[in-house]
Amino acid sequence: MGLMRSVLLAGSESPWLRAQATRRAFVRRAVSRFMPGESLEEALGTAPDLARDRIGLVLTRLGESVTDAAEADEVAAHYLDALESIRAQRVNAEISVKPTQLGLDIDASRCLAHVRALAGRAAALGNFVWIDMEQSRYVDATLELARTVRAAHANVGVCVQAYLFRTAQDLERLLPIGAGVRLVKGAYKEPAEIAFPRKADVDANYLTLARRLLADDARKAGVRAVFGTHDTRLLGAIAESNAALGRPARDAEFHLLYGIQRAEQQRLARAGHAVRVLVSYGSYWFPWYMRRLAERPANVWFVARSLFRS
Ligand SMILES: Cc1cc2nc3c(=O)[nH]c(=O)nc-3n(C[C@H](O)[C@H](O)[C@H](O)COP(=O)(O)OP(=O)(O)OC[C@H]3O[C@@H](n4cnc5c(N)ncnc54)[C@H](O)[C@@H]3O)c2cc1C
């Protein structure tokens, strides 16, 4: 792992740095590149512009590692309201939730009850709930959560991370149940005993897993295969694999982050792929933003430039 990436990921967990950064106007300005605003309304406000390019949304309210049950309940209530707002405003938007924001650290059954309620309401509204994947210590509980909710509701998907050695096996257990699967590279700091340390190996594993997700048996089981990456080489290889299987472009679905590779998002949508942009909002943006910087340390220069402009 690069030194800069390690430093940024370590910093993402520092409460002191979070308190400092969130007070600085120049940091907030730099963050706005990846986040249209802190409110749900601001996030929903991006929809018309994206819809013109036939790009949908996935909404996520930033927050994680919640230790207060009342706060987890409030987050669940917020997402229930968000589902109603999406419907009322006729926006093409799904939601993506973090288990630790819904109380996984406090009580797994409380978290399950929240995700179940969200999936139930989303099903009634014709919507879909994605479950994010967090640090490796949460993988078992998160997959269990996804499997349990999926048994009652078809409109649930879970994220899996290509940097973990275990993901190939995890995928084999998810495919037969026809769950939605969003494949990403993985955003956290994980030890070499459980995760590929070299980026080239993560990329190679990503493509292997992506092809597995596109396979006929997965499709027949009803898997919704989503590829969450900005890596143009992988995006191209996945589109090619999909075409080689004789499938229409819309069968390969891509999710990218708001503010990253906009031209590529438009190009994929023009080529006929299903495309969504994950739009984050909320006030708890510091650890999430540090992970975005770690993905591309060149982004640190955007922060530095904002400082000199302030
Ligand atoms: C829709 C979506 C959902 C996600 N959900 C999760 C999740 O639940 N759990 C999890 O661990 N991770 C999640 N991630 C993050 C993911 O794990 C990666 O950290 C992130 O997508 C960067 O990897 P990459 O695939 O884009 O490839 P990289 O090899 O990191 O990047 C490829 C290229 O994309 C561009 N790029 C990538 N990131 C940035 C950036 N921050 N700023 C500017 N340019 C950039 C650069 O040009 C870079 O060269 C999600 C990502 C997406 C897109």
Side-chain angles (χ1 to χ4, degrees):
M1 188 187 291
L3 180 63
M4 181 74 121
R5 180 165 188 261
S6 296
V7 169
L8 290 166
L9 289 180
S12 75
E13 295 183 12
S14 159
W16 180 82
L17 212 53
R18 175 157 60 87
Q20 294 299 312
T22 46
R23 268 191 239 124
R24 311 274 183 238
F26 79 90
V27 179
R28 299 177 83 92
R29 227 184 355 266
V31 172
S32 67
R33 178 171 168 239
F34 297 115
M35 197 175 118
E38 293 192 0
S39 71
L40 171 65
E41 287 314 312
E42 285 167 300
L44 285 168
T46 61
D49 192 31
L50 290 163
R52 270 190 287 281
D53 291 328
R54 283 191 295 113
I55 297 174
L57 269 61
V58 179
L59 297 173
T60 194
R61 188 169 89 160
L62 296 169
E64 52 200 85
S65 313
V66 165
T67 51
D68 173 7
E71 197 182 331
D73 296 351
E74 187 277 326
V75 172
H78 169 83
Y79 276 120
L80 286 170
D81 286 347
L83 287 168
E84 303 300 333
S85 299
I86 290 167
R87 172 58 168 254
Q89 298 182 31
R90 297 176 191 286
V91 173
N92 176 12
E94 299 175 343
I95 60 169
S96 198
V97 300
K98 280 199 176 9
T100 67
Q101 195 186 11
L102 291 170
L104 183 63
D105 282 327
I106 311 164
D107 171 5
S109 62
R110 188 180 210 102
C111 176
L112 171 62
H114 285 325
V115 178
R116 222 184 229 143
L118 288 171
R121 190 64 198 134
L125 295 168
N127 209 321
F128 197 95
V129 177
W130 289 101
I131 304 174
D132 288 358
M133 188 59 79
E134 302 173 77
Q135 290 92 333
S136 55
R137 62 181 177 277
Y138 298 114
V139 174
D140 282 322
T142 303
L143 294 177
E144 184 56 28
L145 181 66
R147 273 192 289 268
T148 308
V149 178
R150 162 71 202 168
H153 302 288
N155 58 320
V156 175
V158 65
C159 178
V160 296
Q161 299 154 323
Y163 62 13
L164 295 182
F165 300 149
R166 59 174 288 173
T167 298
Q169 274 175 314
D170 290 337
L171 206 52
E172 292 310 321
R173 297 184 61 206
L174 283 171
L175 298 185
I177 63 167
V181 179
R182 176 178 73 210
L183 177 64
V184 302
K185 289 189 186 176
Y188 299 88
K189 188 168 169 3
E190 299 293 355
E193 296 78 54
I194 60 164
F196 294 101
R198 290 180 53 236
K199 185 173 165 11
D201 295 329
V202 178
D203 295 356
N205 195 41
Y206 190 105
L207 190 55
T208 305
L209 298 172
R211 291 189 171 136
R212 184 68 193 94
L213 266 169
L214 288 171
D216 280 337
D217 60 330
R219 184 153 195 81
K220 282 200 193 98
V223 168
R224 176 175 168 194
V226 167
F227 306 99
T229 182
H230 314 93
D231 187 325
T232 46
R233 202 185 57 81
L234 284 173
L235 292 168
I238 293 163
E240 264 173 39
S241 297
N242 183 61
L245 288 162
R247 311 246 180 84
R250 66 171 179 280
D251 283 14
E253 178 169 352
F254 298 106
H255 291 184
L256 291 85
L257 300 180
Y258 175 86
I260 302 181
Q261 309 274 49
R262 179 70 198 265
E264 187 63 18
Q265 296 166 13
Q266 292 165 327
R267 192 194 65 72
L268 290 164
R270 272 199 307 275
H273 295 289
V275 180
R276 288 183 182 270
V277 167
L278 185 87
V279 182
S280 302
Y281 60 95
S283 55
Y284 193 84
W285 43 260
F286 178 74
W288 165 85
Y289 180 61
M290 291 294 275
R291 290 197 291 272
R292 300 293 79 79
L293 293 184
E295 280 155 9
R296 190 160 178 260
N299 286 341
V300 173
W301 295 113
F302 283 98
V303 187
R305 282 219 299 267
S306 301
L307 170 60
F308 294 126
R309 269 191 262 123
S310 64

